[in-house]
Amino acid sequence: VRTIDWVDGGVEIIDQTALPARTVTRRLSTVNELVAAIQTLAVRGAPALGVAGALGVALAARQYREEALAGAVLRLETARPTAVNLARGVQRAAARLAAGPDAVLAEALAVRDEEIASSAAMAARGADLVTELCGPAPRLLTHCNTGGLATVVGGTALGVVAELHRRGALRGVVVSETRPLLQGARLTAWELGQLGIGYQLAVDGAGPFLMAQGMVDAVILGADRICANGDVINKVGTYAHALGAQRAGIPFLVVAPESTVDSATPSGADVKIEDRSPSEVLSFAGTLVAPAGAGAINPAFDITPHDLVTAIVTDRRTLRPDPAFSGKM
Amino acid sequence: VRTIDWVDGGVEIIDQTALPARTVTRRLSTVNELVAAIQTLAVRGAPALGVAGALGVALAARQYREEALAGAVLRLETARPTAVNLARGVQRAAARLAAGPDAVLAEALAVRDEEIASSAAMAARGADLVTELCGPAPRLLTHCNTGGLATVVGGTALGVVAELHRRGALRGVVVSETRPLLQGARLTAWELGQLGIGYQLAVDGAGPFLMAQGMVDAVILGADRICANGDVINKVGTYAHALGAQRAGIPFLVVAPESTVDSATPSGADVKIEDRSPSEVLSFAGTLVAPAGAGAINPAFDITPHDLVTAIVTDRRTLRPDPAFSGKM
């Protein structure tokens, strides 16, 4: 099953807000429906957002003309700010607008197919690297969701985990729950269950401690944007795990397609970090936990400086930033 | 209002599992009721647990004799393993058993009164130190709950925060929510609201990032046990914040009474870290968030090595471990 696809003239997604309780397929027939799905995280994950953006332009090309069309493209492009894939997917498809709706759709489907191919390539390359660095039976910690739900099928970091499992080269997985929206507890746990891979959930704050205790051999996770200097923008909590990995002396591995590499952005300091609603922090699974009137600060992503990153695995390259890393991605 | 006290021949506590929705006073008339209250965290916080343990022996001395009494004392002493205060409070009161119930109660009330005096001393000493290190308008990040609810009245780290507020020497507070049981979001937020101190909640994983962004000037929190070498045992998530503070170059301050200093335990590696039920991670407020059948690992505390600690403030001393710290606490 694909997380997002073009079916009978519209976009179909697995609604990730309903998981793991229910697997619901939603049909999105208008740009506004798709923008709402992006903003509520019904569809999420950098590669999937790239496909969503491109397919959104295909919807827009059928729905609008002229100024209204330009406005719809802009709404798609800016629906969320941090993952580079969304704007890039929109721009790729929008570059074909002059050639008509069919050309736009063809480009959007190409974005989709490239993400599917990227997932397969990353899985093989990443699994090779994990085995090289950690031996034949590693225990991995992952954060947020980077599986098929974050791409189209397969995944980025979780695709590597699945490939290691298929090869019989995986000892265990710790899943960081990923507050506030619990993508680890809800989505990664669900995907690992579907794949028959054993795992243990842990609260986010426990990650560095489990590393210090020798219970984790490497951290492996995805990215929403990789800057020219190798800084990694990813789900909030990533940076804390990177600090834990550095102190424990274990590899910190980032797996993302080339479509997430943004060589036009020099460093993490240049990226807009999405601030989401305080209500996500003040509530837990729909229950208000904080006192009435409480305030909250809710950055959805954080910045991991490149010196904390052992390796970045894309569908085409394996890069190893070191303390003297000065290269361009 | 006292978090725990001896009233009319029994123990009365504010039930911390009901906060912040309701303020419920519970009366505990038997050792078994008190042990259950300790294990469910209806009463919690290292200093409060010391008082609970001592008052529990006062209950036991009235309820049991001979072998049954010894068994009750052991149940109290081992109700939870990590905070040194619990066993120490039990042992202090139990040392008076031969002198009869009134002598036991007098010792337990002395433990209570000493904790009240300690809170006041820590507040003054800690506030002086924060101002010295951070200037007149610091923004502080705290984790878990270290206020009056964790002691009898006043608090440890949160007592310092309150004192800074009283002095007009506090710019803001970030409260780390403290999964899985949300002591930050439920209890610290409630206490700060009662004190009229503004704050912002944040998910635990955001702490190090907020420090890196320059939004936090110091981390201030408590301890469940401080080892002879200065290693700090505290609520899980503490170590990740310490790593974040080190990288950001901001002070990491631990505030705890002398009753939490355990010079008989050489280092953090020698402390039993309580493993609590996976259900605390898998669900919240009765709502299961993970898929059915999910596993979890749930260490309730972690170990912060002394080289990450800028200063330890007790009611009698301010210690500043440095990378060459070899002292005995």
Side-chain angles (χ1 to χ4, degrees):
Chain A
V1 180
R2 291 178 173 180
T3 296
I4 181 165
D5 209 353
W6 182 265
V7 180
D8 296 335
V11 176
E12 283 192 1
I13 62 166
I14 297 175
D15 181 351
Q16 301 191 35
T17 64
L19 286 169
R22 290 170 296 127
T23 307
V24 177
T25 299
R26 275 177 59 192
R27 184 170 180 81
L28 309 168
S29 304
T30 68
V31 170
N32 287 351
E33 286 175 354
L34 181 56
V35 167
I38 290 169
Q39 291 177 335
T40 59
L41 278 54
V43 58
R44 47 146 293 283
L49 286 173
V51 178
L55 293 176
V57 179
L59 280 181
R62 293 160 181 238
Q63 194 181 345
Y64 300 106
R65 292 193 185 183
E66 298 180 0
E67 281 182 26
L69 175 55
V73 170
L74 186 64
R75 286 205 303 285
L76 287 161
E77 191 174 349
T78 58
R80 293 186 71 197
T82 305
V84 69
N85 303 61
L86 177 60
R88 186 171 280 173
V90 169
Q91 289 158 10
R92 265 187 67 176
R96 301 292 292 151
L97 279 169
D102 289 349
V104 171
L105 178 59
E107 186 69 18
L109 297 179
V111 170
R112 176 201 66 190
D113 293 342
E114 288 169 28
E115 289 300 345
I116 294 171
S118 286
S119 285
M122 284 183 281
R125 179 187 299 282
D128 291 348
L129 179 66
V130 170
T131 302
E132 176 195 331
L133 294 175
C134 304
R139 297 157 299 179
L140 304 178
L141 181 144
T142 192
H143 186 65
C144 199
N145 172 264
T146 60
L149 291 172
T151 54
V152 179
V153 292
T156 59
L158 205 64
V160 174
V161 169
E163 175 64 16
L164 287 165
H165 173 71
R166 280 189 290 270
R167 295 182 183 182
L170 179 69
R171 181 152 151 221
V173 185
V174 174
V175 177
S176 185
E177 67 175 0
T178 318
R179 276 283 285 158
L181 293 178
L182 298 167
Q183 289 92 339
R186 295 190 302 110
L187 307 179
T188 298
W190 180 80
E191 288 203 54
L192 289 171
Q194 298 281 313
L195 292 164
I197 302 174
Y199 63 90
Q200 288 185 294
L201 276 172
V203 297
D204 302 320
F209 177 59
L210 296 174
M211 299 175 211
Q213 294 290 97
M215 300 173 71
V216 175
D217 298 311
V219 175
I220 189 165
L221 39 66
D224 290 81
R225 188 183 298 236
I226 296 172
C227 304
N229 71 340
D231 286 356
V232 172
I233 313 301
N234 194 45
K235 180 57 53 191
V236 71
T238 297
Y239 171 57
H241 290 323
L243 291 170
Q246 182 191 50
R247 174 91 183 197
I250 61 174
F252 181 85
L253 308 175
V254 176
V255 184
E258 289 287 339
S259 57
T260 299
V261 176
D262 178 18
S263 57
T265 296
S267 76
D270 302 300
V271 177
K272 161 115 181 107
I273 301 294
E274 181 179 4
D275 275 317
R276 291 185 60 85
S277 168
S279 65
E280 295 178 351
V281 176
L282 301 174
S283 303
F284 192 97
T287 302
L288 183 71
V289 293
I297 184 166
N298 186 18
F301 303 92
D302 63 22
I303 304 166
T304 298
H306 59 79
D307 68 278
L308 299 177
V309 178
T310 307
I312 297 168
V313 176
T314 80
D315 42 305
R316 291 209 300 270
R317 301 181 281 175
T318 300
L319 289 149
R320 301 201 194 190
D322 60 34
F325 183 67
S326 62
K328 287 277 191 189
M329 284 299 298
Chain B
V1 179
R2 290 177 174 180
T3 294
I4 181 165
D5 208 353
W6 183 265
V7 179
D8 296 336
V11 176
E12 283 192 2
I13 62 166
I14 296 175
D15 182 351
Q16 301 192 34
T17 64
L19 286 170
R22 291 169 298 127
T23 308
V24 177
T25 299
R26 275 178 58 193
R27 184 169 180 82
L28 309 168
S29 304
T30 68
V31 169
N32 286 352
E33 286 173 355
L34 181 56
V35 167
I38 290 169
Q39 291 177 335
T40 59
L41 278 53
V43 58
R44 48 148 292 282
L49 287 172
V51 177
L55 292 176
V57 180
L59 281 181
R62 291 159 183 237
Q63 191 182 348
Y64 299 107
R65 293 194 184 182
E66 297 178 1
E67 282 182 26
L69 176 55
V73 169
L74 186 63
R75 287 206 301 286
L76 286 162
E77 191 175 350
T78 58
R80 294 185 69 197
T82 304
V84 69
N85 303 62
L86 177 60
R88 185 170 279 172
V90 168
Q91 288 159 9
R92 265 186 67 176
R96 302 291 293 151
L97 279 168
D102 289 350
V104 171
L105 178 59
E107 186 69 18
L109 297 180
V111 170
R112 176 201 64 188
D113 294 341
E114 288 168 28
E115 289 300 346
I116 294 171
S118 286
S119 284
M122 284 183 282
R125 179 186 300 281
D128 290 349
L129 180 65
V130 170
T131 302
E132 175 195 330
L133 294 175
C134 304
R139 296 157 301 179
L140 303 178
L141 182 144
T142 192
H143 187 64
C144 198
N145 172 264
T146 61
L149 292 170
T151 55
V152 180
V153 292
T156 59
L158 206 63
V160 174
V161 170
E163 175 63 16
L164 287 166
H165 173 71
R166 280 189 290 270
R167 294 181 183 183
L170 179 69
R171 181 153 151 220
V173 186
V174 173
V175 177
S176 184
E177 66 175 0
T178 318
R179 276 283 287 158
L181 294 178
L182 298 168
Q183 290 92 340
R186 295 189 302 108
L187 307 179
T188 298
W190 181 80
E191 288 204 55
L192 289 172
Q194 298 281 311
L195 292 164
I197 301 174
Y199 63 90
Q200 288 184 295
L201 276 172
V203 297
D204 302 322
F209 176 59
L210 296 174
M211 299 176 213
Q213 294 290 96
M215 299 173 69
V216 175
D217 298 309
V219 175
I220 190 164
L221 39 67
D224 290 81
R225 189 183 297 237
I226 297 171
C227 304
N229 71 341
D231 286 357
V232 171
I233 314 301
N234 194 46
K235 179 58 53 191
V236 70
T238 297
Y239 170 57
H241 290 322
L243 291 170
Q246 183 191 49
R247 173 92 183 198
I250 61 173
F252 182 85
L253 307 175
V254 176
V255 184
E258 289 287 338
S259 57
T260 299
V261 176
D262 179 19
S263 55
T265 296
S267 76
D270 303 299
V271 177
K272 161 109 180 110
I273 301 294
E274 180 179 6
D275 275 317
R276 292 184 59 86
S277 167
S279 65
E280 294 180 350
V281 177
L282 301 173
S283 59
F284 186 79
T287 303
L288 184 72
V289 293
I297 184 166
N298 186 18
F301 302 92
D302 63 23
I303 304 166
T304 298
H306 59 80
D307 69 277
L308 298 177
V309 179
T310 307
I312 297 168
V313 175
T314 79
D315 42 306
R316 291 208 300 269
R317 299 180 282 174
T318 300
L319 289 149
R320 301 201 194 189
D322 62 35
F325 183 66
S326 62
K328 289 276 191 187
M329 284 298 299

